[in-house]
Amino acid sequence: MARGVNKVILIGNVGGDPEVRYLPNGNAVANVTLATSDSWKDKQTGQQQERTEWHRVVFFGRLAEIVGEYVRKGSKLYIEGRLQTREWEKDGVKRYTTEIVVDIGGQMQLLDGRPQGGEGMAPRPQQSRPAPQRQAQQPQQQQQPAQPQAQQMPDYDSFDDDIPF
Amino acid sequence: MARGVNKVILIGNVGGDPEVRYLPNGNAVANVTLATSDSWKDKQTGQQQERTEWHRVVFFGRLAEIVGEYVRKGSKLYIEGRLQTREWEKDGVKRYTTEIVVDIGGQMQLLDGRPQGGEGMAPRPQQSRPAPQRQAQQPQQQQQPAQPQAQQMPDYDSFDDDIPF
Amino acid sequence: MARGVNKVILIGNVGGDPEVRYLPNGNAVANVTLATSDSWKDKQTGQQQERTEWHRVVFFGRLAEIVGEYVRKGSKLYIEGRLQTREWEKDGVKRYTTEIVVDIGGQMQLLDGRPQGGEGMAPRPQQSRPAPQRQAQQPQQQQQPAQPQAQQMPDYDSFDDDIPF
Amino acid sequence: MARGVNKVILIGNVGGDPEVRYLPNGNAVANVTLATSDSWKDKQTGQQQERTEWHRVVFFGRLAEIVGEYVRKGSKLYIEGRLQTREWEKDGVKRYTTEIVVDIGGQMQLLDGRPQGGEGMAPRPQQSRPAPQRQAQQPQQQQQPAQPQAQQMPDYDSFDDDIPF
DNA sequence: TTTT
DNA sequence: TTTT
């Protein structure tokens, strides 16, 4: 149920291989940056201008797993999600990061099965990926308070600090 | 022309009276915060939960003028725009703010003509608002380099620092 | 799962009180017509022009019940659904009707709680509405083949034949 | 200006080479059918189901010309337009056809530069296409009343009767 | 950091 | 058939 509408629709290219993590409850989370670009002719100079916008997209659940397997740097994606701004702190000062959350109620479509590397649509090999913890949660994780909601995830610490927004 | 799609659709309520400014070229800019909310039942506790998301929306041009006249705190709006993140600096450290830009190609609909105050849809009195500078730009402003594009607007300094994201 | 995207977003006013029916499996179906309008200035004559577009919207499930209770002639709605064209026959000739289907994955928002009649947001009295058959299906209906999917619903025979498209 | 919102977003594949025509005023019109498909698992039978939906899309102006040059059978498109139902008559009985109109305010993105035929993105040879009549309208066409608006176009007679809706 |  |  919702009062209001909060909808984002993007088509763009992925800036790097997705980072996939697993929450203590076994739910997958995948982070991706997505570039959309606009070009227009400057009225003053007549020059063709271009501006690229980078978006932080966070997938949860089943879509996160699909992203981890099939999406790579350069992939073209359609995504539908919602805007969410989370607060974090650095050196005692509050910062805010706005992301597009894609979970249930959202959508993702891989528009291009041929990203760099040329392995076609074969799933990415998964040796280096930690096993999903759906059916087998580790004991020490169950001692932590359960994660009731994806939105309440305390931190996104796997994010590179160098991508600042 | 665009490579990619960058679209945001929101329906929500305005958090405060709009701030309207005029760029040196006479174009109006209106800033508004918009609240959307989601509610859901927590699976663990069975409790009804609610989360409100605040969005920064920036209108340009004709829509900004309409916003300045008809939108007030509490107004319910439909907006369609695009995501844009701009960089700014505070105490020597870079910060990023993500906004929804609504200009040509975007859309705005006032869904509720009866916000708090009860004056109906009568335009807001405009004495305290600086005159639009479309046909009559002030000389000292023309000495500055022209602002060719809304996106290149150097700063949004009229923003209240207390709205941190 | 979907290959492709099929999304319709409308904001408009409802042309008449909704017609709510119940499928044999107890699922509610609500039909509504929704008007959206565009106005523009004719370049030839300089006259203000207006065109109203009428849309057939079909709600299923929980949303259909909400529509039956709260939506009335004149209500302003936001809906998000998908396009679907169904075939029917009249006098031996095939006809096609395109509707916007709003079910799971879709959305509905009542944007105006004050339609004509002035009873506020109180649910419509329900004496004249047949009881939902969720838990108590009637025997003769169970003898029919089950309706596996809303999309496969054989007919919309409660529709007024006079609304031709 | 609009009271209400009427927006359609589709991603799908084109069913045949576009038909491009020119209105008496020189404006291009391109007709395309676009397929979107949904698949789901039937709850009764557990079988994977698929349903393809065909949409009639009509492009006007610059986008129609781009469609005529670059879009072919099998092309994958993103389109953003609005719903419009027009009335026509056959054997004295009124029929209605719903289309997605993509003109100014709409958008089109070619998501796949490699449709069947393998000529890459080279524009389609244009010998068989009637010259645009922008600057040079033919006299007999000017005797007809001018077409002030794309929406008022009297007929779409170039459509194949075999595509019935 | 992507893509055309 | 709606609404502003």
Side-chain angles (χ1 to χ4, degrees):
Chain A
M1 187 52 188
R3 288 182 303 117
V5 170
N6 176 355
K7 185 170 293 294
V8 180
I9 290 171
L10 302 176
I11 295 179
N13 296 288
V14 170
D17 288 343
E19 306 172 31
V20 185
R21 295 177 304 120
Y22 288 86
L23 300 177
N25 64 9
N27 260 245
V29 184
N31 295 293
V32 139
T33 53
L34 195 74
T36 58
S37 33
D38 268 288
S39 65
W40 67 93
K41 196 174 285 180
D42 187 297
K43 285 171 189 169
Q44 316 272 344
T45 67
Q47 301 276 98
Q48 194 68 14
Q49 304 285 110
E50 174 153 348
R51 180 192 165 102
T52 294
E53 194 68 34
W54 285 97
H55 310 273
R56 297 185 85 121
V57 184
V58 189
F59 299 90
F60 288 96
R62 191 179 58 87
L63 285 178
E65 294 175 0
I66 294 172
V67 164
E69 291 198 358
Y70 295 102
V71 171
R72 310 192 201 165
K73 179 177 181 174
S75 294
K76 175 168 281 192
L77 294 187
Y78 167 89
I79 70 101
E80 183 188 332
R82 62 177 200 276
L83 280 173
Q84 197 165 284
T85 298
R86 60 187 170 81
E87 184 185 311
W88 49 289
E89 208 175 299
K90 192 182 186 178
D91 304 329
V93 31
K94 278 180 181 164
R95 311 285 214 98
Y96 297 81
T97 294
T98 299
E99 290 157 320
I100 297 99
V101 172
V102 184
D103 55 12
I104 315 202
Q107 215 179 132
M108 192 273 293
Q109 301 262 326
L110 190 48
L111 297 174
D112 190 329
R114 303 151 247 83
Q116 67 157 218
E119 304 109 314
M121 282 303 292
R124 187 203 287 213
Q126 299 181 20
Q127 311 83 300
S128 61
R129 202 161 58 86
Q133 299 161 357
R134 278 238 173 99
Q135 284 101 334
Q137 298 196 355
Q138 293 168 10
Q140 71 275 22
Q141 289 172 326
Q142 290 186 326
Q143 290 167 334
Q144 298 176 0
Q147 306 299 114
Q149 281 284 336
Q151 301 89 307
Q152 295 164 21
M153 200 174 35
D155 64 326
Y156 286 68
D157 46 33
S158 75
F159 263 151
D160 187 349
D161 256 8
D162 295 343
I163 305 177
F165 67 88
Chain B
M1 187 52 189
R3 294 203 322 279
V5 170
N6 176 355
K7 183 170 293 296
V8 180
I9 290 172
L10 302 176
I11 295 179
N13 295 290
V14 170
D17 287 344
E19 306 172 31
V20 185
R21 295 177 303 122
Y22 289 85
L23 299 177
N25 64 10
N27 260 245
V29 184
N31 296 295
V32 138
T33 55
L34 195 74
T36 58
S37 33
D38 266 289
S39 65
W40 67 93
K41 196 174 285 182
D42 187 298
K43 284 172 190 169
Q44 317 271 343
T45 66
Q47 300 277 98
Q48 195 67 13
Q49 305 284 112
E50 175 153 347
R51 179 191 166 102
T52 294
E53 194 68 36
W54 285 96
H55 310 272
R56 296 185 85 119
V57 184
V58 189
F59 300 89
F60 289 96
R62 191 179 58 87
L63 285 178
E65 294 175 1
I66 294 172
V67 164
E69 292 198 358
Y70 294 102
V71 171
R72 311 195 200 160
K73 179 177 180 175
S75 295
K76 175 167 281 192
L77 294 186
Y78 166 89
I79 70 101
E80 185 189 330
R82 61 178 201 277
L83 281 174
Q84 198 164 282
T85 297
R86 62 187 169 81
E87 184 185 312
W88 50 289
E89 208 173 300
K90 191 181 186 179
D91 304 329
V93 31
K94 279 180 180 162
R95 310 285 214 97
Y96 296 82
T97 293
T98 299
E99 290 156 321
I100 297 98
V101 173
V102 184
D103 54 11
I104 314 200
Q107 214 179 133
M108 191 274 291
Q109 301 261 327
L110 189 47
L111 297 175
D112 190 331
R114 300 150 248 86
Q116 66 156 219
E119 302 108 318
M121 282 303 292
R124 189 201 286 213
Q126 299 180 22
Q127 311 83 298
S128 60
R129 202 160 59 85
Q133 300 160 355
R134 276 238 175 99
Q135 283 101 333
Q137 297 195 355
Q138 293 167 12
Q140 71 276 21
Q141 288 172 329
Q142 289 185 329
Q143 290 167 335
Q144 298 176 0
Q147 308 298 117
Q149 281 284 337
Q151 300 91 306
Q152 295 163 23
M153 200 174 36
D155 64 326
Y156 287 68
D157 46 33
S158 74
F159 261 152
D160 187 349
D161 255 8
D162 295 343
I163 305 177
F165 67 90
Chain C
M1 189 50 188
R3 289 181 302 116
V5 171
N6 176 355
K7 185 170 292 295
V8 179
I9 289 171
L10 303 175
I11 295 179
N13 296 289
V14 169
D17 287 344
E19 307 172 31
V20 185
R21 295 177 303 120
Y22 288 85
L23 299 177
N25 64 10
N27 260 245
V29 184
N31 295 295
V32 139
T33 54
L34 195 74
T36 58
S37 33
D38 267 289
S39 65
W40 67 93
K41 196 175 285 181
D42 188 299
K43 285 171 189 169
Q44 317 271 345
T45 67
Q47 301 276 98
Q48 194 67 13
Q49 304 284 111
E50 175 154 349
R51 179 192 166 101
T52 293
E53 195 67 36
W54 285 97
H55 311 273
R56 296 186 85 121
V57 184
V58 189
F59 300 88
F60 289 98
R62 191 180 57 87
L63 285 178
E65 294 175 0
I66 295 171
V67 164
E69 291 199 358
Y70 295 102
V71 171
R72 310 190 202 166
K73 179 176 180 174
S75 294
K76 175 167 281 191
L77 294 187
Y78 167 88
I79 70 101
E80 183 188 332
R82 60 176 202 277
L83 280 173
Q84 197 165 282
T85 298
R86 60 187 171 82
E87 185 185 311
W88 50 289
E89 209 174 299
K90 191 181 185 179
D91 304 330
V93 31
K94 278 180 180 162
R95 310 286 214 96
Y96 296 82
T97 294
T98 299
E99 290 157 320
I100 296 98
V101 173
V102 184
D103 55 11
I104 314 201
Q107 214 178 133
M108 191 273 292
Q109 301 262 325
L110 189 47
L111 297 174
D112 190 331
R114 302 151 248 85
Q116 66 157 219
E119 303 108 318
M121 283 302 293
R124 187 203 287 214
Q126 299 181 21
Q127 311 83 299
S128 60
R129 202 161 60 85
Q133 300 160 357
R134 276 238 175 99
Q135 283 101 334
Q137 297 195 355
Q138 293 167 12
Q140 70 275 23
Q141 289 172 328
Q142 290 186 328
Q143 290 167 336
Q144 298 176 1
Q147 308 299 114
Q149 281 285 336
Q151 301 90 308
Q152 296 164 21
M153 200 175 33
D155 64 325
Y156 287 67
D157 46 33
S158 74
F159 262 152
D160 187 349
D161 257 7
D162 295 343
I163 305 177
F165 66 91
Chain D
M1 189 49 189
R3 294 203 321 279
V5 170
N6 176 355
K7 184 170 292 296
V8 180
I9 289 172
L10 302 175
I11 295 179
N13 295 291
V14 170
D17 287 345
E19 307 171 31
V20 185
R21 295 178 303 121
Y22 288 85
L23 299 177
N25 64 9
N27 260 245
V29 184
N31 296 295
V32 138
T33 54
L34 195 74
T36 58
S37 33
D38 267 289
S39 65
W40 67 93
K41 195 174 287 181
D42 187 299
K43 284 172 189 169
Q44 316 271 344
T45 67
Q47 302 275 99
Q48 195 67 14
Q49 305 284 112
E50 175 153 347
R51 179 191 165 103
T52 294
E53 194 67 36
W54 285 96
H55 310 272
R56 297 184 85 120
V57 185
V58 188
F59 299 89
F60 289 96
R62 191 180 58 87
L63 285 178
E65 294 174 1
I66 294 172
V67 164
E69 291 198 357
Y70 295 102
V71 171
R72 311 195 199 161
K73 178 177 180 175
S75 294
K76 174 168 282 191
L77 295 187
Y78 167 89
I79 70 101
E80 184 189 331
R82 62 178 201 275
L83 281 173
Q84 198 165 281
T85 297
R86 60 186 171 82
E87 184 185 311
W88 50 289
E89 208 174 301
K90 192 181 185 178
D91 304 329
V93 30
K94 277 181 181 162
R95 310 285 214 96
Y96 296 82
T97 293
T98 299
E99 290 157 320
I100 297 99
V101 172
V102 185
D103 55 12
I104 315 204
Q107 214 179 134
M108 193 273 292
Q109 300 262 326
L110 190 47
L111 297 176
D112 190 330
R114 300 150 249 86
Q116 68 158 216
E119 304 108 315
M121 282 303 292
R124 189 201 284 215
Q126 300 180 21
Q127 309 86 298
S128 61
R129 203 160 60 85
Q133 299 161 355
R134 276 233 176 102
Q135 283 100 334
Q137 298 195 354
Q138 292 169 13
Q140 71 274 22
Q141 288 173 330
Q142 289 185 327
Q143 290 168 334
Q144 299 175 1
Q147 309 297 117
Q149 281 285 336
Q151 300 91 304
Q152 296 163 21
M153 198 175 36
D155 64 326
Y156 287 67
D157 47 33
S158 74
F159 262 152
D160 187 348
D161 255 8
D162 295 343
I163 306 178
F165 68 90

